[in-house]
Amino acid sequence: MIMSEHQCNTEDIKKAADILINARHAIVFTGAGISTESGIPDFRGPQGLWKQYNPEIASIDYFLQNPKDFWLFYRMRMSTLFVAKPNTAHYAVAELERMGIIKAIITQNVDGLHQVAGSRNVIELHGTMKRAVCIACGRTYPMEVAIRKIDSGQIPPLCDECGGILKPDTVLFGEPVKDFDKARELALMSDAVLVVGSSLSVYPAAYIPIFVKEMGGKVIIINMESTDLDYIADVIIRCKAGDAMALLLKEIKEKSGIQ
Ligand SMILES: [Zn+2]
């Protein structure tokens, strides 16, 4: 079969719709690829952030040693992220949750766009850039507060409570992921997972589809490039996340009768 690289394959969309409609407990797992159409560059893709910057700058060691330089880099990066809006794929995921087709979203993204699109049950494995946290006392602040401190010259921004240094509430390289036990539990009770926009190369996050597969569940992957876990997939849809999700949502609505 010849597959066009950028056109969604209708048969694959149908297969994916059948799996999700018949699933007892389906979840969605997302990565940077779902947000690229919102203008957020991914990290590892051809235009990825790590082609321009040394990933070391996003490590906890770098942060602790150079909090000022870290925040100058992060502040710049946030200017793109804070104006980003959800795209068709985020809205389709939210719609599938509202319809009861999927039960939860596990994301590697820190941009908060799933919640803006209306998703409710979201596990953010890598934290969120919508918040900052004091590394001394753990108090959290809306990111806007940290930005205001930076823009008024306090770099790094400091905690009002204890004077400790604030850190974005995201998981930096060298830090453990958040809520992994909760995510694993969800994966182990799921009989289908829809992966959208992840190369499935970052662990432990990439264990999520593996857990579903190991429990006998089905794995659907929507991603432009091949992923490290294509070999466990039941369906692979190789096209843009927005296009694929729009078609999938339409197919599920038609087939299931749920509006
Ligand atoms: Zn503090």
Side-chain angles (χ1 to χ4, degrees):
M1 184 172 53
I2 300 162
M3 283 210 334
S4 157
E5 225 188 306
H6 298 294
Q7 217 159 25
C8 305
N9 181 296
T10 322
E11 285 312 306
D12 292 335
I13 297 282
K14 283 184 179 161
K15 266 191 250 169
D18 284 337
I19 289 172
L20 292 171
I21 291 168
N22 293 319
R24 177 185 38 78
H25 190 283
I27 54 173
V28 170
F29 177 86
T30 65
I34 196 173
S35 292
T36 45
E37 286 164 56
S38 292
I40 297 175
D42 67 1
F43 298 96
R44 291 172 179 78
Q47 255 79 54
L49 202 62
W50 302 143
K51 294 283 190 291
Q52 299 168 58
Y53 297 98
N54 187 339
E56 197 195 320
I57 199 162
S59 72
I60 184 67
D61 287 342
Y62 185 90
F63 172 81
L64 293 172
Q65 281 159 29
N66 314 279
K68 185 174 175 173
D69 290 340
F70 174 93
W71 272 109
L72 287 171
F73 163 77
Y74 210 81
R75 174 73 186 91
M76 177 199 66
R77 209 191 138 206
M78 275 190 305
S79 15
T80 331
L81 281 145
F82 264 63
V83 294
K85 292 193 172 57
N87 63 55
T88 314
H90 294 105
Y91 286 115
V93 168
E95 185 76 351
L96 290 177
E97 185 186 14
R98 187 194 59 77
M99 292 163 65
I101 297 288
I102 61 146
K103 308 293 186 223
I105 298 103
I106 300 169
T107 187
Q108 299 171 275
N109 298 340
V110 297
D111 53 41
L113 292 181
H114 282 299
Q115 291 91 330
V116 178
S119 287
R120 289 185 192 144
N121 195 7
V122 184
I123 296 179
E124 297 173 304
L125 290 177
H126 296 158
T128 175
M129 62 175 351
K130 299 287 168 103
R131 267 197 321 262
V133 59
C134 170
I135 59 169
C137 75
R139 182 173 161 184
T140 59
Y141 295 82
M143 187 53 85
E144 287 79 2
V145 174
I147 290 177
R148 238 176 287 136
K149 288 170 184 282
I150 291 167
D151 292 349
S152 65
Q154 191 185 75
I155 318 173
L158 304 174
C159 178
D160 292 334
E161 201 88 356
C162 75
I165 293 176
L166 300 187
K167 182 185 97 57
D169 201 7
T170 52
V171 173
L172 302 179
F173 291 121
E175 287 189 298
V177 298
K178 293 171 187 274
D179 294 329
F180 189 68
D181 288 347
K182 213 169 135 192
R184 178 174 49 203
E185 231 172 87
L186 262 173
L188 291 176
M189 66 167 78
S190 297
D191 53 355
V193 59
L194 171 64
V195 176
V196 188
S198 173
S199 58
L200 298 173
S201 59
V202 177
Y203 285 87
Y207 280 123
I208 298 304
I210 294 176
F211 290 146
V212 175
K213 189 72 183 183
E214 279 180 352
M215 297 302 286
K218 304 270 197 221
V219 176
I220 304 160
I221 297 178
I222 297 175
N223 201 55
M224 286 290 273
E225 284 98 34
S226 61
T227 81
D228 290 2
L229 295 180
D230 280 357
Y231 68 95
I232 69 163
D234 296 275
V235 181
I236 297 173
I237 300 168
R238 189 86 64 227
C239 66
K240 276 178 147 186
D243 295 345
M245 286 304 296
L247 290 168
L248 186 57
L249 179 63
K250 186 166 169 272
E251 184 73 19
I252 289 173
K253 282 190 169 174
E254 279 173 15
K255 272 196 174 148
S256 69
I258 306 170
Q259 286 305 310

